[in-house]
Amino acid sequence: MWVAVLVCAGPLLGAAPAKPAPFFAQLRARMAGSAYVKANPALNRFAWLRQYFPTTTLGQRRGFLTRLYHSFLTADKQRAVAVYLYQMYISSATYGGEMPRRLNINYLGALDALERLQDRFDVRGAEAFYQKNKAEIKALLQQFFAQSRLAVYAPQDPRNDAAEIAFLRALAASTYGGERAAYALETPRGTARLDPADLAWLQQIQHASNREIAQKVALYEVDGVDLAMMDPSYSGPLTKETQYLYRPAAKECAACSYLTCRQVCRQPRGRAVRLYQLQLRAKNGGLLEPARGTYFRNPKGGFYPGWSYHEAVLIVLNRQGHFTPVVLDRFLSDKPLLWQEWLALFKKDNTLLYAYPFQRWDDTEARLVRPQHRQGDKVYQQGRAYEPFPAEY
């Protein structure tokens, strides 16, 4: 009946074609209709985010001349901005079209491609970069959504511009005065439980990395000014001469997080689909604050002095399509912690999170070494003596 009426009415109405629904509306409908997403939106959205799998490949940082030449090429930056917009489309559609004013930890993953850029890129200028490179960025978005088969992205449709500008303004608002964006801490959406087999696997990694960490030192070549910047608690004399120093890796959270991530990369691929070095800093530029008390507690007893920053490892596990983020942090726990448990240790309204997709680098591994020789309190590497770092962690 209705079909006949519509067929007859067509000529009278000029056979006006049906206007397709806007792309973002299609994507929201697709996410809203997914039982998989409904089960745990904040975590299961990882299934559609573009991923960078943990790898054992050792990278080399670009030298000055390479970076100078590469700075004239914008393809990497176009792709990074396009991936950011794609991740935000997926995340916001999962949350029913939410447009955040600033990024928070429930948008974890949105910054991955931007953090992997070797070239300097001030994300506060991402909106201007987008306007200048819109055609290339939109062509990449079309490609990404064609691969995901979630919705058809039409690059020539101007209705998408408003959402993309909103995402880029949220990015700029998340820089807190710097060039790079951070995630604010919020109560995490969704919950996760750790499978006993995954817990056992993580504990094996933790034990293996702890054995390696105990054998390694972190080498530093610094002048007096750099030394004061590296450790605000240092109050000794400053010189202009280069100082060759070391600190046991077990006392340096950045070294521990790097070596633990590398241990994860040595495992067979399958369980871990995302791997991050996490760094926490205070919003006000001062010291980090625990959620309770004044100082952070050592899991072996006692308290640490104040932290200007802290690093740990985040592993996102995939068990039959269900995603579980777990943190390994030997300074705060002797066992793996679920994402929500670890976040609850920090004062929420004064903490920023930076999440770096893990990459191995030749210069980092050159300074995280097992000393070739020890004599007294000095260690020797390549014939050079390194003195103990003059301040305790």
Side-chain angles (χ1 to χ4, degrees):
M1 176 68 176
W2 282 108
V3 173
V5 170
L6 289 173
V7 169
C8 294
L12 297 176
L13 297 175
K19 200 170 186 178
F23 158 74
F24 198 19
Q26 293 179 32
L27 185 61
R28 290 199 302 270
R30 169 69 176 83
M31 293 302 187
S34 169
Y36 179 61
V37 169
K38 287 178 183 176
N40 209 338
L43 300 183
N44 286 349
R45 71 190 173 86
F46 279 113
W48 285 283
L49 297 188
R50 298 187 71 81
Q51 298 185 20
Y52 304 96
F53 289 99
T55 176
T56 57
T57 302
L58 184 63
Q60 293 183 332
R61 298 194 199 269
R62 296 188 178 111
F64 172 75
L65 292 177
T66 306
R67 284 187 283 111
L68 182 65
Y69 169 75
H70 194 78
S71 65
F72 293 104
L73 303 177
T74 58
D76 284 356
K77 295 171 185 176
Q78 290 169 352
R79 189 172 189 86
V81 171
V83 172
Y84 166 75
L85 291 173
Y86 174 85
Q87 313 286 54
M88 289 299 289
Y89 266 128
I90 295 294
S91 301
S92 293
T94 301
Y95 298 143
E98 174 182 290
M99 288 286 180
R101 191 173 66 86
R102 285 180 168 173
L103 301 180
N104 61 60
I105 54 99
N106 290 301
Y107 285 83
L108 182 72
L111 299 172
D112 288 2
L114 293 166
E115 289 295 352
R116 285 173 60 88
L117 280 173
Q118 283 198 52
D119 298 321
R120 180 175 174 176
F121 182 62
D122 188 339
V123 299
R124 291 171 296 186
E127 183 180 346
F129 180 84
Y130 163 84
Q131 297 290 5
K132 188 175 179 180
N133 298 271
K134 187 181 291 188
E136 294 84 358
I137 291 170
K138 285 178 171 288
L140 286 165
L141 283 169
Q142 182 182 29
Q143 173 191 328
F144 298 158
F145 279 105
Q147 292 168 348
S148 69
R149 300 180 181 179
L150 289 171
V152 178
Y153 181 88
Q156 68 277 12
D157 189 341
R159 291 178 293 182
N160 301 324
D161 291 16
E164 289 156 19
I165 293 299
F167 294 150
L168 292 167
R169 288 178 180 173
L171 176 66
S174 302
T175 56
Y176 299 92
E179 293 183 356
R180 294 168 44 246
Y183 301 102
L185 265 59
E186 291 286 344
T187 302
R189 302 181 186 186
T191 57
R193 290 182 298 175
L194 193 55
D195 184 273
D198 290 333
L199 174 61
W201 180 72
L202 290 166
Q203 288 175 325
Q204 289 174 4
I205 289 172
Q206 216 166 12
H207 293 154
S209 62
N210 285 343
R211 287 194 298 271
E212 183 178 18
I213 288 165
Q215 300 169 353
K216 297 288 181 71
V217 297
L219 304 178
Y220 301 92
E221 297 182 14
V222 298
D223 60 29
V225 176
D226 287 340
L227 182 60
M229 291 174 63
M230 288 171 59
D231 196 326
S233 66
Y234 177 66
S235 58
L238 298 179
T239 70
K240 292 186 178 180
E241 297 178 1
T242 299
Q243 299 181 65
Y244 298 94
L245 307 171
Y246 80 91
R247 176 182 279 158
K251 292 187 176 182
E252 176 54 73
C253 60
C256 291
S257 66
Y258 185 94
L259 293 170
T260 301
C261 283
R262 193 172 69 175
Q263 193 67 234
V264 174
C265 290
R266 291 171 178 164
Q267 310 303 314
R269 182 179 291 185
R271 272 194 172 102
V273 294
R274 298 180 105 83
L275 179 62
Y276 297 94
Q277 280 184 273
L278 303 177
Q279 186 181 100
L280 296 172
R281 291 193 177 271
K283 278 184 185 178
N284 59 18
L287 297 178
L288 286 170
E289 299 177 64
R292 290 171 290 281
T294 305
Y295 296 103
F296 291 97
R297 182 183 294 273
N298 189 317
K300 295 180 174 58
F303 295 89
Y304 295 106
W307 286 345
S308 58
Y309 78 98
H310 182 59
E311 292 200 14
V313 174
L314 174 65
I315 306 171
V316 180
L317 303 173
N318 178 10
R319 177 166 287 277
Q320 298 176 341
H322 296 277
F323 295 82
T324 303
V326 184
V327 176
L328 301 183
D329 185 346
R330 70 193 307 273
F331 292 89
L332 293 177
S333 175
D334 54 8
K335 67 181 192 305
L337 293 175
L338 288 169
W339 179 232
Q340 62 266 27
E341 295 173 331
W342 183 77
L343 290 170
L345 299 175
F346 303 91
K347 188 173 181 180
K348 184 171 63 174
D349 59 0
N350 188 43
T351 308
L352 297 175
L353 174 78
Y354 297 86
Y356 314 123
F358 178 68
Q359 300 178 81
R360 291 183 61 197
W361 295 112
D362 55 350
D363 56 346
T364 300
E365 299 200 4
R367 71 179 195 85
L368 294 177
V369 300
R370 182 184 298 181
Q372 294 170 333
H373 177 61
R374 293 179 184 266
Q375 184 174 339
D377 62 355
K378 297 179 181 178
V379 302
Y380 291 80
Q381 191 71 12
Q382 304 296 331
R384 174 168 284 153
Y386 290 80
E387 304 276 351
F389 199 94
E392 287 297 318
Y393 184 81

